[in-house]
PDB file of all heavy atoms in Angstrom:
ATOM      1  N   ARG A 173      -4.617 -42.885 -20.852  1.00 98.00           N
ATOM      2  CA  ARG A 173      -4.484 -42.646 -22.292  1.00 98.00           C
ATOM      3  C   ARG A 173      -3.009 -42.507 -22.660  1.00 98.00           C
ATOM      4  O   ARG A 173      -2.191 -42.021 -21.863  1.00 98.00           O
ATOM      5  CB  ARG A 173      -5.201 -41.335 -22.654  1.00 98.00           C
ATOM      6  CG  ARG A 173      -6.675 -41.280 -22.212  1.00 98.00           C
ATOM      7  CD  ARG A 173      -7.606 -41.939 -23.205  1.00 98.00           C
ATOM      8  NE  ARG A 173      -7.745 -41.099 -24.371  1.00 98.00           N
ATOM      9  CZ  ARG A 173      -8.686 -40.146 -24.497  1.00 98.00           C
ATOM     10  NH1 ARG A 173      -9.556 -39.936 -23.513  1.00 98.00           N
ATOM     11  NH2 ARG A 173      -8.764 -39.424 -25.586  1.00 98.00           N
ATOM     12  N   HIS A 174      -2.682 -42.957 -23.842  1.00 98.00           N
ATOM     13  CA  HIS A 174      -1.363 -42.643 -24.377  1.00 98.00           C
ATOM     14  C   HIS A 174      -1.203 -41.122 -24.464  1.00 98.00           C
ATOM     15  O   HIS A 174      -2.170 -40.406 -24.723  1.00 98.00           O
ATOM     16  CB  HIS A 174      -1.200 -43.221 -25.796  1.00 98.00           C
ATOM     17  CG  HIS A 174      -1.074 -44.703 -25.837  1.00 98.00           C
ATOM     18  ND1 HIS A 174       0.140 -45.369 -25.895  1.00 98.00           N
ATOM     19  CD2 HIS A 174      -2.031 -45.673 -25.824  1.00 98.00           C
ATOM     20  CE1 HIS A 174      -0.063 -46.661 -25.915  1.00 98.00           C
ATOM     21  NE2 HIS A 174      -1.381 -46.889 -25.876  1.00 98.00           N
ATOM     22  N   VAL A 175       0.026 -40.651 -24.232  1.00 98.00           N
ATOM     23  CA  VAL A 175       0.321 -39.237 -24.472  1.00 98.00           C
ATOM     24  C   VAL A 175       1.020 -39.134 -25.817  1.00 98.00           C
ATOM     25  O   VAL A 175       2.106 -39.688 -26.018  1.00 98.00           O
ATOM     26  CB  VAL A 175       1.201 -38.647 -23.349  1.00 98.00           C
ATOM     27  CG1 VAL A 175       1.725 -37.270 -23.751  1.00 98.00           C
ATOM     28  CG2 VAL A 175       0.403 -38.559 -22.049  1.00 98.00           C
ATOM     29  N   GLN A 176       0.381 -38.442 -26.748  1.00 97.00           N
ATOM     30  CA  GLN A 176       0.991 -38.280 -28.071  1.00 97.00           C
ATOM     31  C   GLN A 176       2.156 -37.304 -28.024  1.00 97.00           C
ATOM     32  O   GLN A 176       3.190 -37.526 -28.619  1.00 97.00           O
ATOM     33  CB  GLN A 176      -0.065 -37.788 -29.057  1.00 97.00           C
ATOM     34  CG  GLN A 176      -1.157 -38.827 -29.294  1.00 97.00           C
ATOM     35  CD  GLN A 176      -1.988 -38.471 -30.508  1.00 97.00           C
ATOM     36  OE1 GLN A 176      -3.024 -37.846 -30.373  1.00 97.00           O
ATOM     37  NE2 GLN A 176      -1.517 -38.842 -31.699  1.00 97.00           N
ATOM     38  N   GLU A 177       1.919 -36.204 -27.305  1.00 96.00           N
ATOM     39  CA  GLU A 177       3.017 -35.245 -27.162  1.00 96.00           C
ATOM     40  C   GLU A 177       2.716 -34.261 -26.032  1.00 96.00           C
ATOM     41  O   GLU A 177       1.579 -34.097 -25.609  1.00 96.00           O
ATOM     42  CB  GLU A 177       3.243 -34.466 -28.465  1.00 96.00           C
ATOM     43  CG  GLU A 177       2.043 -33.655 -28.886  1.00 96.00           C
ATOM     44  CD  GLU A 177       2.322 -32.771 -30.106  1.00 96.00           C
ATOM     45  OE1 GLU A 177       3.503 -32.522 -30.412  1.00 96.00           O
ATOM     46  OE2 GLU A 177       1.346 -32.318 -30.725  1.00 96.00           O
ATOM     47  N   PHE A 178       3.789 -33.659 -25.564  1.00 96.00           N
ATOM     48  CA  PHE A 178       3.673 -32.506 -24.664  1.00 96.00           C
ATOM     49  C   PHE A 178       3.787 -31.259 -25.530  1.00 96.00           C
ATOM     50  O   PHE A 178       4.666 -31.193 -26.403  1.00 96.00           O
ATOM     51  CB  PHE A 178       4.808 -32.502 -23.639  1.00 96.00           C
ATOM     52  CG  PHE A 178       4.682 -33.569 -22.586  1.00 96.00           C
ATOM     53  CD1 PHE A 178       5.061 -34.876 -22.854  1.00 96.00           C
ATOM     54  CD2 PHE A 178       4.163 -33.271 -21.332  1.00 96.00           C
ATOM     55  CE1 PHE A 178       4.945 -35.868 -21.889  1.00 96.00           C
ATOM     56  CE2 PHE A 178       4.043 -34.258 -20.361  1.00 96.00           C
ATOM     57  CZ  PHE A 178       4.428 -35.563 -20.638  1.00 96.00           C
ATOM     58  N   VAL A 179       2.921 -30.281 -25.296  1.00 94.00           N
ATOM     59  CA  VAL A 179       3.054 -29.034 -26.049  1.00 94.00           C
ATOM     60  C   VAL A 179       3.294 -27.888 -25.072  1.00 94.00           C
ATOM     61  O   VAL A 179       2.722 -27.830 -23.984  1.00 94.00           O
ATOM     62  CB  VAL A 179       1.822 -28.762 -26.940  1.00 94.00           C
ATOM     63  CG1 VAL A 179       1.834 -29.727 -28.121  1.00 94.00           C
ATOM     64  CG2 VAL A 179       0.520 -28.893 -26.176  1.00 94.00           C
ATOM     65  N   GLU A 180       4.184 -26.985 -25.491  1.00 91.00           N
ATOM     66  CA  GLU A 180       4.537 -25.845 -24.653  1.00 91.00           C
ATOM     67  C   GLU A 180       3.347 -24.894 -24.539  1.00 91.00           C
ATOM     68  O   GLU A 180       2.373 -25.011 -25.275  1.00 91.00           O
ATOM     69  CB  GLU A 180       5.721 -25.092 -25.287  1.00 91.00           C
ATOM     70  CG  GLU A 180       7.000 -25.900 -25.333  1.00 91.00           C
ATOM     71  CD  GLU A 180       7.807 -25.749 -24.052  1.00 91.00           C
ATOM     72  OE1 GLU A 180       7.405 -24.946 -23.191  1.00 91.00           O
ATOM     73  OE2 GLU A 180       8.833 -26.446 -23.905  1.00 91.00           O
ATOM     74  N   LYS A 181       3.478 -23.933 -23.645  1.00 93.00           N
ATOM     75  CA  LYS A 181       2.418 -22.939 -23.455  1.00 93.00           C
ATOM     76  C   LYS A 181       1.961 -22.383 -24.801  1.00 93.00           C
ATOM     77  O   LYS A 181       2.753 -21.775 -25.521  1.00 93.00           O
ATOM     78  CB  LYS A 181       2.931 -21.785 -22.587  1.00 93.00           C
ATOM     79  CG  LYS A 181       3.304 -22.210 -21.178  1.00 93.00           C
ATOM     80  CD  LYS A 181       3.999 -21.082 -20.406  1.00 93.00           C
ATOM     81  CE  LYS A 181       4.464 -21.610 -19.050  1.00 93.00           C
ATOM     82  NZ  LYS A 181       5.215 -20.605 -18.276  1.00 93.00           N
ATOM     83  N   PRO A 182       0.698 -22.577 -25.180  1.00 95.00           N
ATOM     84  CA  PRO A 182       0.222 -22.100 -26.473  1.00 95.00           C
ATOM     85  C   PRO A 182      -0.358 -20.680 -26.371  1.00 95.00           C
ATOM     86  O   PRO A 182      -0.495 -20.145 -25.272  1.00 95.00           O
ATOM     87  CB  PRO A 182      -0.905 -23.086 -26.791  1.00 95.00           C
ATOM     88  CG  PRO A 182      -1.474 -23.413 -25.438  1.00 95.00           C
ATOM     89  CD  PRO A 182      -0.339 -23.305 -24.441  1.00 95.00           C
ATOM     90  N   SER A 183      -0.678 -20.095 -27.509  1.00 95.00           N
ATOM     91  CA  SER A 183      -1.454 -18.854 -27.488  1.00 95.00           C
ATOM     92  C   SER A 183      -2.871 -19.180 -27.023  1.00 95.00           C
ATOM     93  O   SER A 183      -3.296 -20.338 -27.021  1.00 95.00           O
ATOM     94  CB  SER A 183      -1.495 -18.240 -28.891  1.00 95.00           C
ATOM     95  OG  SER A 183      -2.245 -19.085 -29.741  1.00 95.00           O
ATOM     96  N   VAL A 184      -3.608 -18.144 -26.639  1.00 95.00           N
ATOM     97  CA  VAL A 184      -4.996 -18.367 -26.219  1.00 95.00           C
ATOM     98  C   VAL A 184      -5.804 -18.957 -27.376  1.00 95.00           C
ATOM     99  O   VAL A 184      -6.638 -19.852 -27.173  1.00 95.00           O
ATOM    100  CB  VAL A 184      -5.633 -17.056 -25.711  1.00 95.00           C
ATOM    101  CG1 VAL A 184      -7.141 -17.222 -25.496  1.00 95.00           C
ATOM    102  CG2 VAL A 184      -4.971 -16.632 -24.394  1.00 95.00           C
TER     103      VAL A 184
END
Side-chain angles (χ1 to χ4, degrees):
Chain A
R173 305 276 287 270
H174 289 264
V175 169
Q176 294 194 266
E177 61 174 342
F178 288 80
V179 288
E180 295 273 355
K181 296 172 185 177
S183 67
V184 170

